[in-house]
Amino acid sequence: MNLKRRDAVVKTLVGLGICVLALSGCGGSSTAGNNASNTSTTSSNSAGISILAVSMHANVAELATGTQLTLRNSAEEAINATNECKYSVTQPVATTPGIDRHVCTHHTPVVTLLYSFGTNGGQLDGSGPQAGLVQANDGNFYGTTFSGGTNQNATWGAAGTVFKITTDGKESIIYNFGASATDGALPMGTLVVGHDGNLYGTTMVGGAPCFSDGGCGTVFKMTPGGRETQLFSIVSWSQGFEFPAGLTIGTKGNFYGVTTAGGPQWVNYGCCGMVFNINTSGVQIPLYGFGDNGIVNDGNAPEASVIVASDGNLYGTTEFGGAYGPTYGIGVQGSGTVFRITPDGTESIIYSFGAGGITDGARPLAQLVQGPDGNLYGTTIAGGTYNQGTVFRISLNGTMTILYSFGTTTDDGTQPSAGLTFGPDRNMYGTTSSGGVNGGGTVYRMTLSGQEEVVDSFDGNTLPVANLVRGRDGSMYGTTSRGGSYGQGMVYKLTF
């Protein structure tokens, strides 16, 4: 066939946003090199070129632009290009019998504003979301705002909301916190969908009277229709103090959570926080109180939800503590840790930040995520080569690799508060709370090998601090604490 005609057709289709693979002899079959088993459709056009529409690939997304990719001339092997991840295999650069070598290219997702808080009645609409979104069984997304709403708490002011937003940006408030003197207030964590289809979450403060004015935090259940049930309220230091993050669903329908202070060790050390187990009836069982090994060596102040990894154990981070790092204040020492907790509550520190020297990460604030390779991936808000934060990979046995240091270029993002989420292209996506072209933070893409690309830069004073979430439509959705049309935060969408 005419190679130039084939190239022209492919370039035209790619230019129209169609991800295709142009091969001769695509009718054969063989075992796919990546052991993929997705279906594909082959058709011929007027130029006599076989065009294979493809669905998925586990490895192409990890390749940099311009990487040469080897494909055999068969329909099954050709799923090394993907429509879903927007990688396109284009012009062949070398040919041997039965094998074509093509150039791997990629497309950048488009970021669009879905909704600005303050649209419906100023702060009555909700303001300053600190948490990400969750997609419920009805297909809508649900989230919380840290403040705003119709109710005023005597101590905390506007107590926050739970909101619903559709994939096309139609928002409605389904609950206003502060409805009573003992209601929760100031939700910071991302909601989670329980096995019963209801939403479960936490508020940082509020609840029953405790040792702190205004309450020490609550755990609640919320129906998608907006009916709230308070499941648990902190009343003593041994139960923790302040919920900084949302819950994680366990394998048996239970939930795991963290408090940033208090816990079983508060009598000995007056600090540190804990990890707990709670069921749908609101029975809380402390799993582990940080400070058990002393402030220096153990973790201190977990700020993010734990995850349940493939080995059945819980993994998480603490902002402070560990064996290395400076003293940040009275009783606050160390650059943070990665920890493992078994289901029976046995804890071990698998890594102390600072062990790798001055270019190591410091102060992890975000939830970990487990990758397809079984490793854990996360971020630190500080440390790294430029002391602007890092992306790291750590194995389940504690082998640490710093993949990327933020601040590498003048337009790079800095200080990531949020964690990482795998996108439809099998790359990781995250946000930085500052940096970028406009100084308001960035959305970035990161390969498993540590190649970073800024997808978009927010305007100044936007403050994206929450994890992105991948929707069932293949798009990704996120929130910012400020910015938007009214400066009270927004919901945005990444379209691939």
Side-chain angles (χ1 to χ4, degrees):
M1 69 180 175
N2 189 307
L3 186 61
K4 291 184 178 179
R5 291 186 66 189
R6 181 175 76 169
D7 293 347
V9 171
V10 174
K11 289 178 180 179
T12 300
L13 291 170
V14 171
L16 293 173
I18 302 173
C19 184
V20 300
L21 178 62
L23 296 173
S24 61
C26 285
S29 63
S30 67
T31 302
N34 60 352
N35 294 320
S37 59
N38 300 69
T39 59
S40 56
T41 303
T42 305
S43 60
S44 297
N45 62 16
S46 58
I49 302 169
S50 292
I51 298 175
L52 182 64
V54 296
S55 60
M56 180 178 178
H57 172 52
N59 297 317
V60 172
E62 301 172 20
L63 300 176
T65 301
T67 300
Q68 292 186 354
L69 178 66
T70 299
L71 305 175
R72 294 183 179 85
N73 285 334
S74 70
E76 190 174 359
E77 190 75 24
I79 58 177
N80 284 299
T82 169
N83 225 355
E84 183 185 13
C85 75
K86 301 303 180 191
Y87 274 71
S88 304
V89 174
T90 57
Q91 183 176 354
V93 295
T95 302
T96 58
I99 295 179
D100 283 351
R101 294 181 67 82
H102 292 70
V103 176
C104 180
T105 62
H106 69 266
H107 303 272
T108 300
V110 177
V111 180
T112 55
L113 170 66
L114 267 189
Y115 184 78
S116 291
F117 290 97
T119 299
N120 298 317
Q123 281 205 353
L124 299 180
D125 181 38
S127 177
Q130 301 281 323
L133 304 170
V134 65
Q135 191 168 25
N137 296 342
D138 61 5
N140 296 311
F141 289 92
Y142 292 80
T144 60
T145 63
F146 185 70
S147 60
T150 59
N151 297 321
Q152 294 285 323
N153 181 285
T155 303
W156 309 110
T161 71
V162 177
F163 64 89
K164 175 177 71 175
I165 188 165
T166 62
T167 56
D168 59 356
K170 296 177 182 177
E171 184 256 17
S172 57
I173 301 297
I174 67 169
Y175 188 77
N176 292 278
F177 287 104
S180 68
T182 59
D183 197 10
L186 310 186
M188 287 190 69
T190 301
L191 300 169
V192 63
V193 179
H195 288 176
D196 58 3
N198 291 312
L199 307 168
Y200 291 81
T202 64
T203 63
M204 188 177 74
V205 294
C210 66
F211 48 86
S212 174
D213 292 340
C216 297
T218 71
V219 177
F220 64 87
K221 176 177 73 175
M222 182 80 60
T223 67
R227 181 177 179 181
E228 187 232 24
T229 303
Q230 189 176 111
L231 298 178
F232 177 76
S233 181
I234 294 174
V235 296
S236 71
W237 265 106
S238 62
Q239 295 175 326
F241 177 58
E242 294 187 349
F243 297 111
L247 302 171
T248 300
I249 192 166
T251 57
K252 298 180 180 179
N254 60 309
F255 301 94
Y256 297 102
V258 301
T259 67
T260 194
Q265 298 301 323
W266 76 273
V267 174
N268 297 324
Y269 301 104
C271 73
C272 301
M274 71 172 185
V275 177
F276 64 89
N277 187 341
I278 191 168
N279 62 22
T280 55
S281 299
V283 178
Q284 186 214 43
I285 302 173
L287 273 181
Y288 182 77
F290 293 99
D292 190 40
N293 299 317
I295 296 174
V296 173
N297 294 323
D298 202 7
N300 185 353
E303 295 285 349
S305 306
V306 297
I307 67 165
V308 181
S310 56
D311 62 0
N313 294 315
L314 307 179
Y315 290 83
T317 61
T318 63
E319 181 180 5
F320 303 112
Y324 308 95
T327 297
Y328 293 92
I330 298 175
V332 180
Q333 185 173 340
S335 294
T337 70
V338 180
F339 63 85
R340 174 176 59 230
I341 296 179
T342 63
D344 65 359
T346 301
E347 184 250 18
S348 53
I349 300 297
I350 66 171
Y351 190 76
S352 289
F353 287 98
I358 60 173
T359 60
D360 202 1
R363 298 180 55 205
L365 297 179
Q367 187 180 32
L368 300 167
V369 64
Q370 189 167 27
D373 56 2
N375 292 312
L376 306 176
Y377 293 83
T379 63
T380 66
I381 195 172
T385 304
Y386 310 98
N387 199 28
Q388 297 293 335
T390 69
V391 173
F392 64 86
R393 175 178 65 225
I394 187 168
S395 66
L396 298 185
N397 64 9
T399 301
M400 171 65 70
T401 303
I402 299 298
L403 292 178
Y404 187 77
S405 290
F406 289 98
T408 299
T409 65
T410 55
D411 295 336
D412 200 9
T414 56
Q415 301 178 1
S417 296
L420 300 159
T421 303
F422 279 89
D425 57 3
R426 299 182 67 86
N427 287 313
M428 300 178 289
Y429 288 80
T431 63
T432 62
S433 61
S434 59
V437 174
N438 305 307
T442 67
V443 177
Y444 64 89
R445 169 165 53 197
M446 180 75 61
T447 69
L448 294 181
S449 61
Q451 294 175 321
E452 187 250 18
E453 176 189 2
V454 174
V455 173
D456 204 353
S457 291
F458 291 104
D459 293 335
N461 200 31
T462 300
L463 201 61
V465 296
N467 282 22
L468 293 160
V469 62
R470 181 180 172 184
R472 299 187 195 115
D473 59 358
S475 298
M476 301 184 77
Y477 297 81
T479 65
T480 67
S481 298
R482 301 173 188 165
S485 301
Y486 307 98
Q488 297 181 38
M490 64 180 177
V491 178
Y492 63 94
K493 177 179 180 179
L494 276 70
T495 304
F496 290 78

